[in-house]
Amino acid sequence: MLKLRTGRLSFSAALLFVFITLISSANAQDIQNPPQLLKSKFDTISIPFHNEKPTIDGVLDEAVWQKAGKAHLNYVVRPFENTIPPVNTDVFYYEDGANLYVAYIAHDFKPDDIRVFLRDRDDTWGQDMVGVKIDTYGDGRLAYQYFVNPLGVQTDSIENEMTGNESASWNGIWLSEGRITDKGYVVEFAIPLRLMNFEESEEEKHWGIEFVRFYPRADELRISHLPTDRDNACNLCQMGGARGFKNARQGESLAIVPTAVLGAARTRDPEQSNDWDYQNNQEVGLNVNWSITPEISLQGTLNPDFSQVEADVAQLSINNTFALFFGERRPFFVKNADYFSSFQNLIYTRNINAPDYGLKITGRKDKHSLGLFVANDEQTTFLVPGNLGSSVASFEEASLNLGGRYRFDYSDDLAIGTVLTLREADHYHNYLSSIDLKYRLSDQDTISAQIIATETEYPDELYKGFCDEECLNPSDYNESTLRTNKEGSFTGLSYILDYRKETSNYYIRARHQYADEGYRADLGFQSQVDRRVSVIGGGYNWWNENSWWNNINIDGDWDISHNGEGELIEKELEGRIRISGDYQTRFEVGARKRDRVGLRIDPSILAIDGNSNLFQEYSYKMFFRTSPNQHLNFGVFQRVGDEVDFVNNRLGEQVYIEPFINLNLGRHIKLNMQHTYSKLDSNDKPLFNANLTDIRMTYQFDQKQFFRVTLAYSDISRNQDNYDFDVDEDSKNVGFQLLYSYKLNPLTKFFVGYADSAYDNDSLNKLKTNQQSVFMKFSYAWLR
């Protein structure tokens, strides 16, 4: 049984009390200063009301479309600024109190050049698409985005102005269909208004709206019914107005989603035995999504299967002192994840491995946004950070995990927020409190700030297991740092101050960030502590509308980092030039000069220990990408030059190459191939050669189902003569997965798959399978 030690939350409670006091004061002023609607210089359109439901089939043969509102998309807003589009696009729209209906007639002089493929939901970027962005509060803070390709495949997301992110993790259940004609294509869709948070009232509503078409040919054109102003850094603030929806109601939407998981696996350690250890897994769970009010929604899950279906993209981890980051894919955590975003990654839910339950509430009312979740975990995993490296600690003790985010939009220009997190087990805890703000000084200038306070206690057995300073063998690696590991309860502080100025032609950025050695964000992904970092940079743009190139950009920055005692960790000066042009081509070259503290890859020295050396690195990089036609997209990233050899704490020479190629074979088959090659020479001798290949082939049967084959292969060769401890001179790993997916909608899904992995090293001398599994997952949504 977990005990909540509320006494240790006193500092967090104090910060929260101060913040609530500020909000109360702001609310008092808010009565006299009501929120302003979106300030747009563009005309507001009227959304007609008709109590008629069309058949969503991509054929506009119902009489109601003749009575619908109509707009023309007359502006190319990217990569050009408000130029005349090469094609005509008409959009029709109306609402019936429950749904917004939108239809597009997208003209094209060469229908054979339309870039369109059958793909999984949210995987249509780079294709021809049309859609609509909707800001239901009309304040430029957040917009729902609905896009459809000419075959009716959906892509939806939420754009968050506060964080500057677009998140495809949000998924709604809506209808769409598309049809290619001899004059272009037609798309028709219906968006239930209950998908979006908005304030119910008997009055006419004023929302923000933008109609958009993506037209990828020599350039990928973004065409809109509105002009844009590049001198305004806030995109959502420039959306047009929409008046209507007087009868719009959300009701109490409820989705009950039972889930079932069946699986069988076998594992072994080929170096010890060829005997297999068999495991079976049968689980039944329940997910509930409930719109408590038009503004607030609740998600709950019991006995969830939190294992992800699709394999992560493989990453190479060699001569790297910091932990790798993998994105979240699990449905409970990705739903409405934007409500928990702030300037730093304080809530990284992949830290929660095996929960029995989870509960989440999210919503927005007037100027207030809230996200809160709680979940248990059968074990506890977190990052142990340092100023030169980080590692992952884990111990077999159940924990309680809680994360909350609140934001108050005081005005169109000022937003204030807080994040609170808690992780607690019987012999461990981590509490975090933060306050942040974002203030738009003008259309071009923005200031952001965040201050974070933490309190932490590690388990005694974890601390006592830390390696001492004489531990030099990476085989003894045990998630420690020399200066940043702590015994008993300790506190920490971090803050960030950021300024950005963005105009059409130039931009400036400046940032100062600090984290003391006691700072821990164990529910987040914060891999660096005991650091004080200052960055200043900027760039300049040249724009062109009448040649093979459309943009030339130069960019550079200077940064310097010290630890808490003022010792230099890193000083860096870098710059690059980038050219963007026809065939969606991008070419970039850059150079970097860096003074950098080295260290031995030793778990006891992930922070400066007084014996660290300062190295001066010079390196050069190049990036190229192009898409000459709708079937081919390829490119390469390359970096050559000096690189610290963390094995021997000396300067080496690195060659790093990362090519990729994406092929569309007909409308149904997609092939993605990515390779990573990394070579490091040290002391005029090879240290290692590493190769990593990730290949994924998908056959999309229709809008709802696909079959995918994934293969990941790594091959690393090390020169034993350049190591002073034993290593495998040759090691290989292979991962293989077969996956069939059927998605009736984002909640009703079926998966069945097979996975296999094998490895080879000096002890085996050949690839041997160490894990095999088969699995099936099913969920069905009852909607009310």
Side-chain angles (χ1 to χ4, degrees):
M1 179 68 69
L2 294 173
K3 293 174 61 180
L4 184 63
R5 292 173 288 219
T6 55
R8 289 175 175 167
L9 283 170
S10 57
F11 186 65
S12 300
L15 277 179
L16 183 60
F17 175 77
V18 171
F19 183 76
I20 291 174
T21 302
L22 290 173
I23 295 301
S24 300
S25 175
N27 276 331
Q29 299 180 36
D30 190 41
I31 297 174
Q32 301 176 353
N33 299 284
Q36 298 180 357
L37 294 173
L38 184 70
K39 294 179 287 188
S40 173
K41 60 184 178 182
F42 310 117
D43 292 336
T44 297
I45 63 172
S46 178
I47 308 293
F49 173 85
H50 300 294
N51 192 19
E52 300 179 48
K53 296 183 182 298
T55 301
I56 306 301
D57 56 6
V59 180
L60 309 184
D61 54 359
E62 293 91 353
V64 67
W65 288 117
Q66 304 300 318
K67 300 179 289 183
K70 182 178 181 180
H72 304 282
L73 277 61
N74 293 327
Y75 304 93
V76 175
V77 297
R78 194 174 65 212
F80 311 128
E81 186 176 21
N82 307 324
T83 60
I84 298 173
V87 289
N88 295 323
T89 312
D90 300 317
V91 59
F92 305 85
Y93 48 84
Y94 76 95
E95 54 98 4
D96 65 359
N99 301 278
L100 171 65
Y101 299 98
V102 180
Y104 275 90
I105 299 179
H107 301 273
D108 200 310
F109 297 108
K110 297 181 179 180
D112 291 341
D113 291 343
I114 293 174
R115 295 194 178 189
V116 60
F117 307 97
L118 281 169
R119 293 293 178 261
D120 193 22
R121 182 190 179 98
D122 292 333
D123 190 23
T124 59
W125 293 110
Q127 301 184 35
D128 279 76
M129 287 195 300
V130 292
V132 61
K133 296 174 61 174
I134 304 171
D135 174 6
T136 55
Y137 286 84
D139 59 3
R141 297 293 188 189
L142 182 145
Y144 299 89
Q145 303 187 120
Y146 305 88
F147 295 106
V148 183
N149 81 356
L151 297 178
V153 181
Q154 301 176 356
T155 291
D156 52 14
S157 61
I158 289 179
E159 183 176 353
N160 190 325
E161 186 274 335
M162 181 72 175
T163 62
N165 297 327
E166 290 189 20
S167 173
S169 64
W170 181 82
N171 289 296
I173 298 178
W174 48 292
L175 299 177
S176 65
E177 193 53 76
R179 181 174 57 91
I180 297 176
T181 70
D182 58 358
K183 296 181 180 179
Y185 63 93
V186 178
V187 163
E188 185 178 20
F189 50 98
I191 303 169
L193 299 179
R194 59 179 172 77
L195 293 179
M196 302 174 287
N197 293 334
F198 61 87
E199 294 185 13
E200 287 190 351
S201 69
E202 300 296 331
E203 304 298 324
E204 189 175 61
K205 297 167 183 61
H206 297 263
W207 294 355
I209 200 165
E210 183 185 13
F211 297 108
V212 178
R213 177 180 181 180
F214 289 99
Y215 182 77
R217 299 297 184 270
D219 297 299
E220 185 171 15
L221 304 183
R222 186 183 190 275
I223 306 172
S224 174
H225 82 293
L226 303 168
T228 190
D229 181 4
R230 283 181 181 161
D231 274 327
N232 189 338
C234 178
N235 293 321
L236 295 186
C237 301
Q238 300 186 63
M239 292 177 63
R243 183 176 63 249
F245 307 104
K246 182 176 181 179
N247 300 312
R249 298 290 183 272
Q250 288 187 314
E252 295 183 2
S253 176
L254 177 65
I256 300 175
V257 188
T259 62
V261 178
L262 300 174
R266 63 177 189 172
T267 59
R268 66 177 178 179
D269 183 353
E271 297 180 60
Q272 303 296 326
S273 171
N274 287 323
D275 295 333
W276 291 96
D277 180 23
Y278 290 84
Q279 304 96 32
N280 292 308
N281 180 33
Q282 296 87 33
E283 297 286 348
V284 176
L286 180 68
N287 297 318
V288 176
N289 298 321
W290 177 33
S291 295
I292 303 174
T293 73
E295 300 86 9
I296 305 296
S297 63
L298 176 82
Q299 294 88 46
T301 182
L302 292 174
N303 197 29
D305 170 64
F306 274 110
S307 59
Q308 63 188 64
V309 172
E310 298 188 52
D312 288 309
V313 175
Q315 299 184 52
L316 193 62
S317 178
I318 186 168
N319 201 54
N320 180 27
T321 62
F322 287 101
L324 297 178
F325 178 89
F326 292 94
E328 180 64 87
R329 293 173 179 265
R330 299 171 296 179
F332 174 80
F333 287 122
V334 299
K335 184 175 178 61
N336 291 343
D338 291 297
Y339 281 91
F340 300 90
S341 299
S342 65
F343 305 119
Q344 299 196 66
N345 192 344
L346 303 181
I347 298 180
Y348 176 61
T349 50
R350 283 192 69 150
N351 286 320
I352 304 172
N353 290 321
D356 295 313
Y357 65 85
L359 190 67
K360 180 194 296 185
I361 186 168
T362 56
R364 182 177 178 186
K365 175 69 173 177
D366 299 323
K367 298 183 176 185
H368 309 276
S369 300
L370 174 69
L372 179 67
F373 82 87
V374 61
N376 75 325
D377 199 352
E378 294 178 1
Q379 63 180 12
T380 303
T381 302
F382 52 86
L383 280 178
V384 178
N387 59 32
L388 295 180
S390 65
S391 55
V392 179
S394 181
F395 60 95
E396 298 296 326
E397 191 171 297
S399 61
L400 178 69
N401 303 271
L402 182 146
R405 165 76 169 155
Y406 170 76
R407 193 183 83 190
F408 174 68
D409 296 327
Y410 177 73
S411 68
D412 289 347
D413 299 319
L414 175 63
I416 307 170
T418 184
V419 175
L420 300 174
T421 71
L422 174 150
R423 302 196 77 189
E424 188 169 61
D426 286 340
H427 303 96
Y428 156 83
H429 73 262
N430 174 251
Y431 308 133
L432 178 148
S433 304
S434 81
I435 294 176
D436 59 81
L437 67 86
K438 183 175 183 179
Y439 182 55
R440 295 182 66 225
L441 301 169
S442 69
D443 288 346
Q444 296 82 32
D445 302 271
T446 303
I447 291 178
S448 304
Q450 187 168 29
I451 184 170
I452 309 165
T454 66
E455 182 187 349
T456 309
E457 182 177 14
Y458 287 153
D460 290 340
E461 63 271 18
L462 185 67
Y463 174 78
K464 291 176 182 178
F466 285 161
C467 207
D468 62 30
E469 296 181 28
E470 297 179 357
C471 176
L472 299 179
N473 190 336
S475 65
D476 296 331
Y477 204 110
N478 58 10
E479 294 77 49
S480 69
T481 64
L482 179 64
R483 285 182 53 185
T484 59
N485 57 19
K486 297 286 183 178
E487 183 177 19
S489 180
F490 56 94
T491 61
L493 179 71
S494 176
Y495 62 81
I496 183 171
L497 180 63
D498 185 272
Y499 166 76
R500 295 178 184 269
K501 183 179 184 69
E502 298 181 43
T503 71
S504 174
N505 295 322
Y506 72 92
Y507 52 91
I508 299 169
R509 59 182 179 271
R511 174 172 56 89
H512 183 71
Q513 188 169 355
Y514 169 77
D516 67 20
E517 65 179 18
Y519 170 66
R520 298 290 186 275
D522 288 358
L523 194 57
F525 193 90
Q526 300 281 281
S527 61
Q528 299 182 7
V529 299
D530 189 28
R531 276 199 173 215
R532 192 185 305 271
V533 183
S534 297
V535 183
I536 185 167
Y540 195 88
N541 286 302
W542 288 269
W543 304 96
N544 181 37
E545 299 172 1
N546 303 301
S547 184
W548 60 269
W549 63 274
N550 55 63
N551 173 250
I552 297 177
N553 169 262
I554 57 171
D555 183 275
D557 64 44
W558 175 87
D559 65 79
I560 189 167
S561 303
H562 295 87
N563 67 3
E565 297 183 0
E567 298 172 299
L568 180 66
I569 296 175
E570 180 179 292
K571 182 170 63 174
E572 180 180 81
L573 177 65
E574 64 179 335
R576 64 162 173 79
I577 181 169
R578 182 185 68 214
I579 302 174
S580 301
D582 287 350
Y583 304 110
Q584 302 172 47
T585 299
R586 175 180 162 189
F587 177 72
E588 178 180 315
V589 292
R592 178 178 67 189
K593 174 184 178 293
R594 178 167 63 180
D595 297 328
R596 183 185 189 188
V597 168
L599 77 162
R600 196 181 185 92
I601 291 187
D602 175 348
S604 68
I605 311 175
L606 291 182
I608 293 177
D609 66 351
N611 299 311
S612 303
N613 297 323
L614 186 67
F615 299 98
Q616 191 170 86
E617 300 173 337
Y618 291 89
S619 63
Y620 308 90
K621 68 177 181 179
M622 183 275 292
F623 176 77
F624 173 77
R625 181 188 67 196
T626 189
S627 181
N629 57 54
Q630 60 182 314
H631 302 290
L632 176 62
N633 174 276
F634 66 93
V636 62
F637 171 80
Q638 179 175 335
R639 183 174 61 243
V640 297
D642 302 325
E643 182 76 12
V644 173
D645 165 14
F646 290 116
V647 171
N648 300 291
N649 195 27
R650 62 192 178 201
L651 198 62
E653 290 289 327
Q654 184 193 49
V655 175
Y656 183 93
I657 305 174
E658 193 173 73
F660 67 89
I661 182 169
N662 302 312
L663 295 172
N664 295 304
L665 306 175
R667 284 191 173 168
H668 295 268
I669 298 176
K670 180 176 70 169
L671 180 63
N672 302 109
M673 295 179 287
Q674 178 178 307
H675 183 78
T676 301
Y677 171 76
S678 182
K679 176 178 180 288
L680 185 64
D681 292 344
S682 177
N683 197 27
D684 297 323
K685 294 183 294 185
L687 183 69
F688 66 78
N689 279 280
N691 288 274
L692 172 65
T693 302
D694 190 297
I695 301 174
R696 297 171 188 237
M697 187 180 72
T698 305
Y699 186 90
Q700 192 81 34
F701 297 95
D702 52 34
Q703 297 179 19
K704 297 181 174 63
Q705 55 183 333
F706 69 79
F707 175 75
R708 177 171 297 151
V709 180
T710 300
L711 175 67
Y713 175 75
S714 68
D715 184 352
I716 300 175
S717 299
R718 296 177 175 88
N719 179 12
Q720 178 66 74
D721 294 338
N722 226 352
Y723 291 79
D724 59 4
F725 49 83
D726 290 335
V727 295
D728 286 313
E729 293 192 28
D730 293 292
S731 60
K732 299 178 177 66
N733 286 275
V734 178
F736 177 74
Q737 185 190 69
L738 301 174
L739 177 67
Y740 170 78
S741 167
Y742 180 87
K743 299 177 184 177
L744 183 64
N745 58 53
L747 298 178
T748 299
K749 299 177 287 188
F750 172 76
F751 301 98
V752 62
Y754 168 80
D756 190 305
S757 64
Y759 74 96
D760 177 26
N761 57 28
D762 293 347
S763 300
L764 296 175
N765 295 315
K766 66 177 182 179
L767 280 170
K768 281 199 172 183
T769 302
N770 65 314
Q771 185 174 11
Q772 294 176 325
S773 63
V774 292
F775 58 88
M776 183 189 75
K777 301 184 181 184
F778 173 77
S779 64
Y780 184 82
W782 275 278
L783 304 177
R784 174 182 177 273

